[in-house]
Amino acid sequence: DAGVIQSPRHEVTEMGQEVTLRCKPISGHDYLFWYRQTMMRGLELLIYFNNNVPIDDSGMPEDRFSAKMPNASFSTLKIQPSEPRDSAVYFCASSPDHYGYTFGSGTRLTVV
Amino acid sequence: TQLLEQSPQFLSIQEGENLTVYCNSSSVFSSLQWYRQEPGEGPVLLVTVVTGGEVKKLKRLTFQFGDARKDSSLHITAAQPGDTGLYLCAGALYSGGGADGLTFGKGTHLIIQP
């Protein structure tokens, strides 16, 4: 298995632009999680899905953030409009249960 | 307020030394996991502990879950440069209705000098 695949690895965008991050989870994993990592706040859970259904989005910072999972093999995290404070590394993780997560390599987002 | 407090934040020691890092909380967790993260990569799962008092060993790494399931420790024996990385603990607050997302500590940055 290729593991959790995220794209792009790096994204630099201007403030106000729309940003879309992509994730392909491991086949057969029913849970998908989006996390954001910064030096100040560490890893923060943004949202997670179970069987493609959003279960908890209480970590999504504000309405500028949205996430979808149209099928079991694909999820997106969208930021519109982006702001400099959104700069961080965004991780997607998948799991067959709540005992072990497999993380992707992350997307490093820089908003200038 | 951080739900999981990890200490120390930074640790730099010489190869061959032993070390212990800690993960503490006032909350009870259904399970607790330890991850290691290297620069430019995502965290990689090392171990999961689920029973209070549980001890698990992974080569030179020993993980312990506190009796009350509120804290955990990671002990490394004879540290090697390859152990360098960010060590993260993460706890699951089981709601009873299904899985909850893991809550992570900020981690311990460990450097093992040759």
Side-chain angles (χ1 to χ4, degrees), chain A residues 9 35 37 40 48 99 101, chain B residues 33 37 40 48 99 102 106:
Chain A
R9 284 298 307 269
Y35 281 84
Q37 187 175 39
M40 289 294 294
Y48 81 92
Y99 287 115
Y101 290 13
Chain B
Q33 302 174 16
Q37 185 178 18
T48 300
L102 288 176
K106 286 190 176 182

Side-chain angles (χ1 to χ4, degrees), chain B residues 20-102:
Chain B
T20 302
V21 298
Y22 300 92
C23 174
N24 294 296
S25 177
S26 57
S27 298
V28 177
F29 294 99
S30 63
S31 68
L32 196 138
Q33 302 174 16
W34 285 91
Y35 291 78
R36 187 166 78 106
Q37 185 178 18
E38 298 189 24
E41 296 298 329
V44 175
L45 179 66
L46 296 174
V47 76
T48 300
V49 285
V50 296
T51 305
E54 183 176 3
V55 176
K56 281 193 174 179
K57 292 192 174 184
L58 186 66
K59 296 183 180 178
R60 293 175 293 99
L61 278 60
T62 301
F63 305 85
Q64 184 161 9
F65 202 11
D67 291 341
R69 305 209 316 274
K70 294 182 178 181
D71 54 82
S72 181
S73 64
L74 159 59
H75 182 79
I76 301 179
T77 304
Q80 299 177 3
D83 296 327
T84 293
L86 175 65
Y87 287 80
L88 296 158
C89 68
L93 289 167
Y94 189 57
S95 67
D100 284 330
L102 288 176

Side-chain angles (χ1 to χ4, degrees), chain A residues 53-65:
Chain A
V53 176
I55 303 300
D56 183 0
D57 65 353
S58 59
M60 297 285 262
E62 46 197 272
D63 292 344
R64 298 184 297 106
F65 285 68

